[in-house]
Amino acid sequence: MKILSLNYCYKSNFNNSQVSKPVFQNKTLNADTVSFSSKKKTQEAALEQITSDSKVCNEFIINVIANPRNSQATAKKLIEQAGSPQNFLNWYLQKGGYREKYSEYIKQTVDSAKTPEELLKISPNWGYWVFENKFGSDFFIGDVPSDIGTKDDYQALTAKLLKGEDTGYKVKEFSGGMSGKRAFLVDTGSHKYVLKTQQDYLMYSDKLRQAVEEDSWLKDTFLKNYKENEHMKSDSSYMNAMIDFYLNLNESPNALKIHCFDAKTSSVLYDFAQGESYSGDIDIRTVNNIMPDLKKIGIIYNDVSPNNLKEQDGELKIIDSGESSFVDILKPTVSGYQIEMPNWSGNNIITLLGAMNSL
């Protein structure tokens, strides 16, 4: 019988003895050399080689982030090395354990991040306030396509679309969904885009605008909280953008090209998917099985509809990702920075599996 090690051993020079500096190696710990009474401690000690040294732990987390498609296999191996799921959870959840170390790493990463993309490469489940506090209340992610122009041009386009004004482009509005967002097909003549944006009720109500201007609490507190809640709810333009930037930055073949997200107008811009809607049988298991790359990088797709999938260049492309869940054992949700992804679709496979596991 063998217990797989963590691929670490310790080496250093101290009085001509070999003590310790962590390096990556392929080693196997032979259980036959370990007494039965000490076996559990040996297994737990193998995992603690990761978390006991900050430098080693940071290197491990950096490797997890850089190679998200290996995350599931790595987690499975760690559980095997622990000897049981319970031993793994003891190491994972204990004070000074993996979850705590990962949280510390994420907080340091947020502090040092220069762009939102640095954070979105890691995971899609960031609280809106993280970007707002770090990059300003009108933060902007990505780049405006050259045929639309500057950021100001893009914001003016979004405002005109919401007001029904002439944009100078061919425009078609898609039928509305349940999340209060509106979606438009914008044809500039050289390219077709889909622009999704949340309703802005200040554009439609003179009384609301007047009340906001007259009441500082409405302007500074209520509207700020309202806008944050609009962003954070399921299938908002913000939630779509977070998931799709994550997919794009990790080069998922199932992702539509995303260009930008603008906090000022609560809008997100994509390439238009040139293709036919998915024509095969579809259910929540099938849709995740036919897009295996999503699962590899932690995305579980829940909003099952043929109209949400386009067949393009031999790949299925998701055109509405906002009902997805994000699950990666090695990227635990960090309190105050990240959220468990909201979901209104009613077909959340994560909720179902969790409920079954608790029976």
Side-chain angles (χ1 to χ4, degrees):
M1 175 182 176
K2 291 185 176 180
I3 304 169
L4 295 175
S5 78
L6 290 174
N7 295 333
Y8 293 95
C9 72
Y10 282 81
K11 291 184 178 180
S12 74
N13 294 319
F14 181 73
N15 292 335
N16 297 322
S17 64
Q18 300 219 333
V19 191
S20 180
K21 188 172 180 184
V23 295
F24 291 99
Q25 283 193 359
N26 290 320
K27 296 287 273 182
T28 300
L29 176 66
N30 192 326
D32 295 334
T33 66
V34 183
S35 70
F36 178 80
S37 61
S38 64
K39 182 176 172 182
K40 179 180 176 183
K41 291 182 179 179
T42 303
Q43 291 167 330
E44 292 178 346
L47 269 68
E48 286 170 1
Q49 290 181 44
I50 293 177
T51 48
S52 62
D53 185 292
S54 295
K55 182 179 179 181
V56 173
C57 193
N58 284 350
E59 289 176 353
F60 179 86
I61 294 170
I62 289 168
N63 187 59
V64 167
I65 291 169
N67 302 283
R69 289 170 179 82
N70 296 339
S71 191
Q72 291 182 357
T74 302
K76 182 178 179 180
K77 185 174 182 181
L78 290 172
I79 293 170
E80 291 174 351
Q81 290 166 331
S84 71
Q86 185 60 54
N87 289 349
F88 172 82
L89 286 174
N90 289 341
W91 166 75
Y92 186 92
L93 298 173
Q94 69 185 350
K95 183 173 178 56
Y98 182 77
R99 185 176 67 170
E100 182 178 307
K101 295 292 186 179
Y102 181 82
S103 296
E104 291 171 0
Y105 178 86
I106 289 298
K107 292 172 184 178
Q108 293 167 4
T109 300
V110 170
D111 288 342
S112 63
K114 297 294 188 293
T115 67
E117 286 88 343
E118 291 178 50
L119 303 180
L120 287 167
K121 175 70 166 61
I122 298 172
S123 64
N125 57 334
W126 296 97
Y128 179 79
W129 58 88
V130 173
F131 294 106
E132 188 176 43
N133 293 338
K134 180 68 180 178
F135 303 108
S137 59
D138 291 338
F139 64 89
F140 195 92
I141 307 174
D143 299 297
V144 179
S146 59
D147 55 342
I148 289 179
T150 66
K151 183 169 74 171
D152 288 342
D153 293 329
Y154 172 77
Q155 291 172 342
L157 169 63
T158 304
K160 288 178 180 179
L161 289 171
L162 287 173
K163 292 178 181 179
E165 297 177 355
D166 180 40
T167 65
Y169 305 128
K170 293 181 181 178
V171 172
K172 173 187 174 183
E173 183 168 5
F174 297 104
S175 58
M178 295 175 60
S179 61
K181 81 176 175 291
R182 295 172 66 184
F184 303 87
L185 172 62
V186 179
D187 185 350
T188 65
S190 59
H191 205 82
K192 292 182 179 180
Y193 303 96
V194 172
L195 189 151
K196 300 178 182 180
T197 183
Q198 297 299 124
Q199 283 277 23
D200 186 345
Y201 295 104
L202 285 173
M203 289 188 174
Y204 305 107
S205 173
D206 292 333
K207 289 184 178 180
L208 179 58
R209 277 199 304 275
Q210 182 179 349
V212 167
E213 291 301 321
E214 293 176 355
D215 190 327
S216 60
W217 179 83
L218 283 175
K219 186 174 184 179
D220 299 332
T221 303
F222 173 79
L223 275 183
K224 181 179 183 296
N225 292 339
Y226 172 80
K227 190 172 183 179
E228 180 175 293
N229 288 333
E230 281 289 287
H231 282 303
M232 296 300 296
K233 71 183 183 181
S234 175
D235 202 26
S236 67
S237 58
Y238 173 80
M239 295 307 299
N240 275 262
M242 295 302 98
I243 296 165
D244 289 314
F245 268 116
Y246 174 73
L247 293 175
N248 272 253
L249 290 167
N250 286 287
E251 300 180 347
S252 174
N254 304 116
L256 272 182
K257 169 69 177 176
I258 183 172
H259 291 280
C260 57
F261 172 80
D262 176 38
K264 185 174 183 178
T265 58
S266 305
S267 64
V268 57
L269 186 72
Y270 299 90
D271 276 354
F272 175 68
Q274 304 279 355
E276 298 296 324
S277 296
Y278 179 67
S279 57
D281 294 334
I282 195 167
D283 57 48
I284 195 165
R285 293 182 62 188
T286 301
V287 75
N288 284 283
N289 287 336
I290 61 180
M291 296 186 290
D293 188 67
L294 297 183
K295 184 179 179 182
K296 288 180 181 178
I297 57 177
I299 296 294
I300 307 297
Y301 190 66
N302 293 297
D303 196 2
V304 179
S305 168
N307 294 328
N308 286 339
L309 301 172
K310 294 285 187 180
E311 297 180 286
Q312 178 177 295
D313 301 327
E315 295 284 356
L316 283 180
K317 303 290 185 180
I318 299 173
I319 66 170
D320 194 345
S321 60
E323 297 288 3
S324 299
S325 302
F326 175 69
V327 180
D328 187 331
I329 291 175
L330 298 182
K331 295 179 183 178
T333 303
V334 178
S335 178
Y337 290 80
Q338 298 167 334
I339 62 165
E340 297 297 326
M341 303 289 274
N343 189 290
W344 284 5
S345 69
N347 292 312
N348 191 341
I349 196 170
I350 301 302
T351 301
L352 173 64
L353 293 174
M356 289 176 63
N357 192 52
S358 66
L359 294 176

